[in-house]
Amino acid sequence: MKLTYYPGCSLEGTASDYAAGIAGVAGLLGLTLAELPDWNCCGASAAHSLDAEAARALPIRNLRLAQRIGLDVVAPCALCFNRLKAGAKDLEAKGERLSFRVWDLLDLLTQPVFLKRMAARLVTPLTGLQAVCYYGCLVNRPPKITDAPTPENPGNMEKLLQTLGATPLEWSFKTDCCGAGLAVARPDLIDRLVRRLYDRARRAGAECIVVSCQMCQANLDLPQARISRQAGQKYELPVLYFTELIALALGHPEVPRWLARHLVDPRPVLAAKGLLEIPAPQASG
Amino acid sequence: MAQSAAFALAENLAAAGLAVDGCYQCRKCSNGCPLVFAMDLPPDRVIRLALLGREDELLACRTIWVCSSCETCTTRCPNGIDIAGVMDWLKEQAVARGAAVPEPEVRDFHCAFLGAVKLMGGRLSEPLVLALYALKGGRWLAKLRRSAAAGELATALELLKRRRLPLSPPRRLAGAGEVAGILRRW
Ligand code: SF4
Ligand code: SF4
């Protein structure tokens, strides 16, 4: 299966670990991701906040490039996906028909064809791994843009975790906002939102949080030390990409190297379950 | 005059695809809003004031800047009102008309982002957006205090160690000129 791939800017930057994991999983699942030539930034929150015209034109330039190729487009970032979908809706409203569909990567990889492939090739079932799924905002909301069937209570990531043998836990915060867009200008606000997510995840019994977007990942992973200091209690919840769990369960050899690039190291939790071998620490503490 | 001004705002919003006149003040938008604790007007008030034409208050309020665009309100409104879209429209107007913005850091970050994409020829450089943001409009002290600069630096170092800080700029696009045209205002 071949699709046009729209990586988005941060996968070339701070989320290069996510990009590596996606490439690895695509290889395992027989999926060819052909990067959209000359793709541009989708404009993100900045464009839709300050320049409605640019917020339409930027994704539409990408859609026109994709139209020449004609294959379905997949985006691994919730915000890129949302902006591309908004652009597509805009063109449709003007009577233009696109011959392809825009996918969010999680939605694509949880289609029955891929879940079946995963189930058939399971090498290391993630038995005993207790996780909450965190979808964030923009892959699902607003449904008139995303076409998400169950925006208040999505379930495709839970289904994926079950397929991989892990234990997805119920919690009511899977689509609550983490405030990622305010992380630079108002970190005080995101600290409050994110801390609540940690608390609720822990209360649900989670050993880790699973995400499908690099902004959610960064916003939940990077500030844990800061939030721990402020809260006077230690938070140490690994925040894993769903792609890393697929790769782990399917026996991809590179997984430990991707995990080592997170700030909160997920390897000890996985090693304790016998899902991963990590080299013994050099010095004991 | 007061009367026509009162209708003008709702009409301008409707012309932008953001009709607000269906609001029956159920407050579902505000009840689900994750950032209402940091707002000076809850989202339902914003819609009400828009209906009443109280434009100056809206262009000067904090709410539109601390809104995270999470789209919960827009998803839940029983009357199909795009509350998040109204927030965006008001932000754009506030900047275009030079209104006093109570959250200059949020505005500066958005401006820095669009400026960085244009400068780099079509894609975002994350380090550049942070640099432009730091330089924009001064207020170093406020920014340092807010972003807990020492912590930010420590995080940047951690990312560097993990090969996650891009050390080269993004590729300049063949369509850089086209993108610069789209972003001509920034
Ligand atoms: S949810 Fe909709 S109808 Fe209810 S108060 Fe908010 S804008 Fe008005
Ligand atoms: S989009 Fe803004 S106003 Fe609406 S619920 Fe989210 S933060 Fe609140």
Side-chain angles (χ1 to χ4, degrees), chain A residues 122-261:
Chain A
L122 223 50
V123 175
T124 313
L126 308 179
T127 314
L129 185 67
Q130 315 257 334
V132 286
C133 298
Y134 180 69
Y135 296 81
C137 302
L138 297 174
V139 280
N140 288 298
R141 284 194 300 265
K144 65 173 188 243
I145 297 291
T146 63
D147 293 319
T150 51
E152 295 282 4
N153 190 16
N156 47 351
M157 212 189 308
E158 279 85 356
K159 217 195 248 160
L160 169 72
L161 262 60
Q162 270 157 1
T163 305
L164 301 175
T167 309
L169 303 164
E170 271 308 319
W171 71 324
S172 320
F173 289 77
K174 53 175 136 174
T175 60
D176 268 41
C177 178
C178 73
L182 296 164
V184 173
R186 289 298 307 267
D188 54 318
L189 297 181
I190 71 115
D191 285 354
R192 178 160 162 168
L193 299 181
V194 170
R195 185 181 168 191
R196 190 173 60 168
L197 293 174
Y198 295 157
D199 285 336
R200 295 302 178 133
R202 281 220 295 226
R203 199 183 298 177
E207 297 160 311
C208 60
I209 302 176
V210 188
V211 298
S212 64
C213 159
Q214 82 291 346
M215 286 186 311
C216 301
Q217 204 283 337
N219 207 38
L220 296 184
D221 187 34
L222 303 186
Q224 286 203 37
R226 180 178 79 215
I227 294 177
S228 297
R229 266 196 309 278
Q230 281 166 9
Q233 58 168 305
K234 190 141 181 69
Y235 291 105
E236 214 162 13
L237 271 168
V239 186
L240 292 141
Y241 289 113
F242 75 105
T243 41
E244 292 169 336
L245 290 185
I246 299 174
L248 182 63
L250 270 53
H252 197 291
E254 292 289 310
V255 178
R257 298 181 51 179
W258 306 331
L259 297 179
R261 300 175 71 189

Side-chain angles (χ1 to χ4, degrees), chain B residues 22-29 44 47 77-79 81 83:
Chain B
C23 173
Y24 53 35
Q25 290 291 293
C26 68
R27 299 190 180 165
K28 200 171 177 184
C29 49
D44 70 281
I47 300 304
C77 174
N79 294 311
I81 293 167
I83 302 119

Side-chain angles (χ1 to χ4, degrees), chain A residues 58-75:
Chain A
L58 289 170
I60 285 177
R61 178 177 179 275
N62 290 315
L63 293 169
R64 297 227 187 279
L65 294 173
Q67 179 72 69
R68 287 190 215 150
I69 300 163
L71 296 172
D72 281 8
V73 174
V74 60

